[in-house]
Amino acid sequence: SALPSVPEKTSAALAAAALCLTAAFSPVSAASGTTPRLAMTKEQFTASDGFALPYRLYVPEGYDASKQYPLMIYFHGAGERGTDNEKQVGGITMCSRLLSSQGIDYECFIIAPQCPENMQWVNTPWVNGSYSLDQVPISTPMKAACELLDETRETYSIDAKRIYASGYSMGGFATWDIVMRNPNTFAAAVPVCGSADPNKAATIKNT
């Protein structure tokens, strides 16, 4: 079943964010298109608390450490939970849009972590919609995702001004959550069918 949608008043902001996210990635010609399952390597990140987070990583073809690249972290929905490191990149997702099957590639890094079964990116009942960030501690998978993001930025040549987040359904909650917990990190975000803490909206007004 669908999760609660974001308030209508956010629609214009989301549309603008989507445009910013699309424009941020410079398209380059590719001999043929690809899919996330083929283009993204299977990885596993061990967080500081020992939690193991499966994730997929896309490194732009011809990566050049002398250049700076944008980075997007993508959060899947509840139906893609598990540890197979497959379901979160299946179907039509932002990952498959960027790794287009129509012969267009994008010079950006993509991280797609996978939340385990019986866990959530944000520990709040979805049916409640909005929640208080101050009263909901960061979840174990989200903490690991934040650490993974930091490690990726340290390992590769990432442009600090072009870091983005996106996700749908349970991943929409995750997108709002990571941006509100890290208001100075992201240039834009595209949450779809998620909710957040309205009282923290002012903290991301420049995102």
Side-chain angles (χ1 to χ4, degrees), residues 34-36 89-101 110:
T34 185
T35 67
V89 294
I92 303 300
T93 66
M94 182 70 81
C95 298
S96 59
R97 290 279 186 172
L98 292 175
L99 302 174
S100 172
S101 61
I110 305 174

Side-chain angles (χ1 to χ4, degrees), residues 6-115:
V6 295
E8 289 184 4
K9 66 182 180 180
T10 64
S11 60
L14 292 185
L19 288 174
C20 289
L21 184 59
T22 302
F25 303 138
S26 302
V28 295
S29 298
S32 61
T34 185
T35 67
R37 283 196 173 108
L38 294 175
M40 303 178 78
T41 60
K42 284 187 174 183
E43 310 288 348
Q44 180 167 289
F45 176 76
T46 302
S48 58
D49 60 3
F51 178 78
L53 181 72
Y55 72 100
R56 288 296 191 102
L57 172 67
Y58 176 71
V59 177
E61 187 175 350
Y63 167 68
D64 181 354
S66 67
K67 297 170 54 178
Q68 288 195 318
Y69 294 78
L71 179 152
M72 183 188 75
I73 184 166
Y74 173 77
F75 294 100
H76 64 78
E80 290 71 52
R81 287 178 291 185
T83 56
D84 64 351
N85 215 352
E86 289 279 350
K87 288 186 289 187
Q88 80 272 31
V89 294
I92 303 300
T93 66
M94 182 70 81
C95 298
S96 59
R97 290 279 186 172
L98 292 175
L99 302 174
S100 172
S101 61
Q102 299 177 6
I104 297 294
D105 199 359
Y106 286 85
E107 291 190 311
C108 71
F109 280 77
I110 305 174
I111 303 171
Q114 185 177 32
C115 182

